[in-house]
Amino acid sequence: MSHTHRRDGRSRRRGGRNKARGRPCGAWGAALALACAAALTACGPDGGDADAAGTASDAPTSSAPTESAPAPSGTGTPAEPTQPPPPTSAAPSASPKPGGIARCETDGLALSLVADGQEMNSKYFDLRLTNTGSEPCDLLGHPGVSLLDAGGKRVGEPATRSQDGAGDGGPVRLRPGQAAHATVKTAGEGVTDGRCWPEAATLLVYPPGSKQTVTTRDLAGLRVCGDSFQVGPVGDRAP
């Protein structure tokens, strides 16, 4: 009985030692676990906030597909460049006038100037536009008249319109070789006390209704004085 008692007592003492030894191990283990947990909580993988790092690492790497905006109506795959449309045919060079006859063009007209005398205080000149073509043509209205110097610069101002001459304002039909006439007028040199424009070298004329010009260097003694320079409408005869 006593032997058994000693064995039980030994067993109890051994059990007491194990319990005593087990308490320090349990305490150190718990402390170490808490320290590791604190370290993991404080620092993430890169030394930053662990929650932010975890959130970033757990975020999905792929985003939802975005839908492309629909193409505007009428558009799709760009078409290949098309060839430009063929050019339209050019308009006829001559403009039809009353009676179905074309207007006289500059390439079918010759210009000349003839002195027509002096009356009262004015000097007159007959401006002639002759049809050099092979077909009849019409002229209607006032020609545009200017003077140029030897360098091609305008002398003074273009002639103003008047109603001088034989023209009545109606159309003038010119058969081949015929001329239309317009009266050019300026003041006499003696009347203006010599207040005259510089002498010109060329007479430049726009036929009625044309944007092209005809010229002549034969001025028949024309020199504008007193700032008076006028031209009348075309007619079918000389004034």
Side-chain angles (χ1 to χ4, degrees):
M1 292 296 293
S2 60
H3 178 76
T4 301
H5 177 75
R6 286 195 302 270
R7 187 176 293 176
D8 292 340
R10 191 182 297 121
S11 297
R12 287 173 185 169
R13 286 195 297 271
R14 288 177 182 174
R17 292 191 194 100
N18 289 340
K19 287 181 180 180
R21 291 174 184 172
R23 286 193 198 100
C25 288
W28 282 108
L32 181 60
L34 289 174
C36 290
L40 290 175
T41 304
C43 299
D46 297 327
D49 183 44
D51 291 339
T55 303
S57 62
D58 294 340
T61 57
S62 61
S63 59
T66 57
E67 295 183 1
S68 58
S73 176
T75 62
T77 303
E80 296 182 358
T82 58
Q83 295 296 327
T88 58
S89 58
S93 58
S95 302
K97 288 294 180 180
I101 302 299
R103 185 185 66 205
C104 298
E105 301 292 345
T106 55
D107 57 358
L109 291 172
L111 171 65
S112 59
L113 190 68
V114 178
D116 200 32
Q118 181 170 344
E119 182 181 347
M120 301 283 295
N121 298 325
S122 299
K123 295 179 68 173
Y124 294 88
F125 298 83
D126 180 18
L127 186 155
R128 300 177 180 177
L129 293 167
T130 303
N131 181 6
T132 60
S134 59
E135 299 292 336
C137 61
D138 285 353
L139 288 176
L140 175 64
H142 288 72
V145 182
S146 295
L147 296 172
L148 306 177
D149 63 15
K153 294 182 179 180
R154 192 176 69 194
V155 176
E157 298 296 329
T160 59
R161 293 180 177 183
S162 73
Q163 294 303 317
D164 293 320
D168 59 4
V172 177
R173 180 157 301 168
L174 302 179
R175 294 191 299 271
Q178 285 188 323
H181 303 265
T183 297
V184 174
K185 181 176 71 172
T186 186
E189 186 173 351
V191 177
T192 61
D193 297 328
R195 291 183 292 106
C196 301
W197 294 353
E199 291 188 8
T202 301
L203 178 69
L204 180 146
V205 173
Y206 289 89
S210 177
K211 295 183 179 180
Q212 304 297 322
T213 62
V214 288
T215 60
T216 182
R217 289 184 173 273
D218 185 0
L219 300 186
L222 171 63
R223 188 179 185 189
V224 176
C225 297
D227 293 331
S228 176
F229 188 31
Q230 298 177 354
V231 61
V234 294
D236 58 359
R237 64 185 184 276

